C-alpha cells in the first residue's frame, strides 16, 4: 500500500516550501492543541512510513508528494520547530485542521491556528531564519521559495453550512460570503508578500458537496453530489481566480507569481472518470460509520477498508493517499486549465 519513498538527491526546484492550510495538508500541528480535530492515532497513517503523525490520511498528503516531486524532504510541522532544534531551511508546514480564512471558522472543534495565526507563525520562523542567514541571503531565499496555501473549506463546512453554530448564512448570501473570504484572504497574502515571499500557489476549494459527510446528509439524489454546496464553492473559486489575475497584474515585474490551483476541476475530473484513475469507490469513506461511511468520521482503532488505493475518500472529509498523489502531479506539471496561469514546475523558472 505504501508508496516507495522518493530519494531526495537532486537540487530542489525551490530552496524551501512553506505551507499554510487546513486538515487536507496538516501534518501534526493540532497534536498539541486542545482540539477535537486530530489524527494522531491509527488507522490514520496506516500506510505512512512514520505511522500516525497527525496527517488526516492513510498515507501521504498532497504536500508530501509535492515535496517528493520538488526534491524537498518531508517538512516539519511548525509546532515542533519552536524550540529551534529542528532544521527549517527546507521549509515549514503551518497547516492546522479545522482552520479557516476567518478566525471563527472551525471553533466548534476547539483550538486551531487560523490563517491569520498561521501567517503570524511564519513570522516566528522568519525570525529564526534571520539568525541563520544574512539579510541578502534571506531576501534571495524567500523570493525563490514556494508558498502553498490551501484554505477555505472550513469557512463553508465549519461555518457557513453550520447555521446552528454560526450566523454567517443568515447574514450573507453566498456571493457576499465569498467576497468576505477573498478580502480576508487577500490581506493575509499581502502580509506574506510584505514579509518577502513572492511565489504563491493558492489552491481552490474542492467539490465539498461530493464528500461522504455531505452525501450522508441525504440532501442529494442517489449518485449525485449536494448541488447547492458545490455552487457556493464555485463562487469562491471564481473570485479566487480573479484575485490571482488582479495580483499578477498589480505585481508584474517584481519577480512575483500568483497561481490558482483548480482543485475543484481536478477533483471533478477524477469523480467523473474514476476507473481511468484506478478508483472503484467514489461516494464513501474507507474509514467511517453510517451512510456513505460519512456520518461519523474515522475513529481511533477503527478497521479501515483493505483496498485503500481504490477509494477516493479515506474518511468522511479527506481523500486517500492514492488520490493525493494524482492531485500533486497535476499541480506540478498539469495544464493551464488546472494550474493557472502556470504550473508549479514552471513557477520554479520565474
Amino acid at each position: 500500500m505504501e508508496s516507495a519513498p522518493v530519494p531526495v538527491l537532486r537540487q530542489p526546484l525551490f530552496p524551501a516550501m512553506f505551507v499554510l492550510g487546513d486538515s487536507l495538508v496538516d501534518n501534526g500541528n493540532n497534536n498539541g492543541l486542545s482540539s477535537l480535530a486530530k489524527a494522531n492515532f491509527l488507522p490514520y497513517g496506516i500506510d505512512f512510513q512514520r505511522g500516525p503523525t497527525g496527517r488526516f490520511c492513510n498515507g501521504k498528503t498532497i504536500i508530501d508528494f509535492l515535496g517528493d516531486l520538488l526534491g524537498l524532504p518531508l517538512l516539519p510541522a511548525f509546532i515542533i520547530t519552536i524550540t529551534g532544534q529542528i532544521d527549517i531551511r527546507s521549509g515549514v508546514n503551518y497547516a492546522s485542521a479545522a482552520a479557516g480564512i476567518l478566525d471563527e471558522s472551525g471553533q466548534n472543534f476547539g483550538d486551531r491556528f487560523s490563517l491569520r495565526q498561521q501567517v503570524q507563525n511564519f513570522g516566528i520562523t522568519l525570525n529564526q531564519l534571520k539568525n541563520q542567514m544574512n539579510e541578502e541571503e534571506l531576501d534571495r531565499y524567500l523570493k525563490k521559495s514556494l508558498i502553498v496555501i490551501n484554505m477555505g473549506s472550513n469557512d463553508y463546512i465549519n461555518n457557513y453550512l453550520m447555521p446552528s453554530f454560526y450566523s454567517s448564512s443568515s447574514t450573507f448570501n453566498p456571493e457576499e460570503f465569498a467576497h468576505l473570504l477573498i478580502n480576508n484572504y487577500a490581506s493575509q497574502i499581502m502580509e506574506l508578500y510584505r514579509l518577502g515571499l513572492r511565489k504563491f500557489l493558492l489552491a481552490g476549494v474542492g467539490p465539498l458537496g461530493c464528500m461522504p459527510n455531505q452525501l450522508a446528509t441525504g440532501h442529494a439524489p442517489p449518485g449525485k453530489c449536494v448541488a447547492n454546496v458545490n455552487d457556493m464553492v464555485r463562487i469562491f473559486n471564481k473570485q479566487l481566480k480573479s484575485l490571482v489575475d488582479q495580483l499578477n497584474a498589480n505585481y508584474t515585474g517584481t519577480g512575483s507569481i500568483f497561481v490558482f490551483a483548480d482543485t475543484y476541476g481536478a477533483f471533478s475530473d477524477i469523480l467523473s472518470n474514476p476507473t481511468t484513475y484506478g478508483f472503484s469507490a467514489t461516494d464513501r469513506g474507507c474509514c467511517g460509520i453510517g451512510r456513505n461511511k460519512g456520518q461519523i468520521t474515522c475513529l481511533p482503532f477503527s478497521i479501515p477498508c483493505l483496498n485503500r488505493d481504490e477509494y477516493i475518500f479515506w474518511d468522511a472529509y479527506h481523500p486517500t493517499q492514492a488520490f493525493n498523489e494524482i492531485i500533486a502531479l497535476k499541480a506540478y506539471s498539469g495544464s493551464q486549465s488546472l494550474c493557472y496561469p502556470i504550473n508549479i514546475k514552471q513557477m520554479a523558472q520565474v
Side-chain angles (χ1 to χ4, degrees):
M1 275 278 177
E2 186 179 327
S3 59
V6 177
V8 179
L9 298 171
R10 60 186 168 85
Q11 185 71 21
L13 289 186
F14 300 88
M17 173 166 61
F18 297 99
V19 180
L20 283 69
D22 51 30
S23 57
L24 291 167
V25 291
D26 185 353
N27 66 344
N29 282 305
N30 278 25
N31 292 355
L33 299 181
S34 175
S35 169
L36 295 171
K38 290 187 184 183
N40 55 342
F41 51 83
L42 283 168
Y44 288 93
I46 191 169
D47 299 311
F48 190 65
Q49 65 214 44
R50 300 180 186 178
T53 54
R55 287 165 168 81
F56 287 74
C57 187
N58 60 307
K60 288 182 171 183
T61 67
I62 292 171
I63 294 300
D64 298 328
F65 284 118
L66 209 46
D68 290 343
L69 292 164
L70 299 176
L72 291 165
L74 286 175
L75 301 180
F78 166 74
I79 208 88
I80 66 163
T81 67
I82 303 169
T83 59
Q85 307 301 307
I86 303 285
D87 185 1
I88 56 173
R89 284 168 302 182
S90 293
V92 175
N93 186 334
Y94 306 90
S96 173
I101 294 166
L102 302 179
D103 286 351
E104 63 271 23
S105 295
Q107 68 187 13
N108 46 301
F109 279 100
D111 293 343
R112 69 251 162 259
F113 296 111
S114 67
L115 175 60
R116 185 176 54 82
Q117 290 167 311
Q118 289 181 40
V119 172
Q120 289 170 355
N121 290 344
F122 172 74
I124 293 170
T125 300
L126 200 49
N127 285 332
Q128 290 177 324
L129 289 168
K130 281 174 184 169
N131 296 326
Q132 298 179 23
M133 302 179 203
N134 66 39
E135 205 174 320
E136 196 180 317
E137 280 176 320
L138 183 59
D139 183 58
R140 194 165 56 242
Y141 163 90
L142 291 172
K143 281 179 175 162
K144 287 186 179 297
S145 293
L146 174 67
I147 177 142
V148 180
I149 313 182
N150 187 95
M151 275 284 186
S153 296
N154 288 307
D155 296 291
Y156 288 96
I157 307 166
N158 291 302
N159 186 329
Y160 199 74
L161 294 169
M162 203 177 264
S164 58
F165 206 94
Y166 299 92
S167 62
S168 51
S169 60
S170 56
T171 312
F172 306 101
N173 66 35
E175 196 80 38
E176 292 165 342
F177 187 65
H179 189 64
L180 173 73
L181 294 180
I182 295 296
N183 280 349
N184 279 271
Y185 204 171
S187 66
Q188 296 306 327
I189 292 166
M190 287 296 78
E191 178 59 16
L192 292 165
Y193 183 92
R194 190 187 66 77
L195 293 170
L197 292 164
R198 294 294 179 268
K199 297 187 182 208
F200 291 80
L201 179 76
L202 309 173
V205 174
L208 301 179
C210 303
M211 295 187 317
N213 165 265
Q214 289 297 309
L215 297 178
T217 61
H219 293 162
K224 300 283 185 195
C225 300
V226 183
N228 72 313
V229 172
N230 281 351
D231 290 345
M232 289 174 198
V233 169
R234 276 203 292 265
I235 295 168
F236 172 83
N237 287 334
K238 190 178 172 190
Q239 291 193 24
L240 182 58
K241 191 176 181 183
S242 296
L243 176 66
V244 160
D245 278 335
Q246 193 185 323
L247 291 169
N248 281 322
N250 291 354
Y251 293 92
T252 185
T254 60
S256 307
I257 180 69
F258 300 87
V259 170
F260 169 70
D262 184 10
T263 314
Y264 191 106
F267 215 122
S268 299
D269 179 44
I270 295 170
L271 283 169
S272 303
N273 308 287
T275 51
T276 310
Y277 292 97
F279 296 112
S280 61
T282 63
D283 62 352
R284 58 195 183 275
C286 167
C287 182
I289 298 169
R291 189 191 287 151
N292 301 89
K293 293 287 178 87
Q295 285 175 296
I296 297 171
T297 197
C298 194
L299 295 171
F301 308 109
S302 310
I303 306 296
C305 67
L306 293 176
N307 54 335
R308 296 185 276 280
D309 288 347
E310 292 177 31
Y311 274 67
I312 287 179
F313 292 99
W314 159 246
D315 64 10
Y317 305 94
H318 308 98
T320 56
Q321 164 175 276
F323 177 90
N324 289 338
E325 186 167 20
I326 296 165
I327 295 291
L329 197 55
K330 284 179 184 285
Y332 176 69
S333 56
S335 67
Q336 195 181 40
S337 64
L338 293 175
C339 243
Y340 171 86
I342 58 174
N343 61 38
I344 295 175
K345 196 175 179 183
Q346 291 163 330
M347 285 175 82
Q349 314 306 318
V350 174

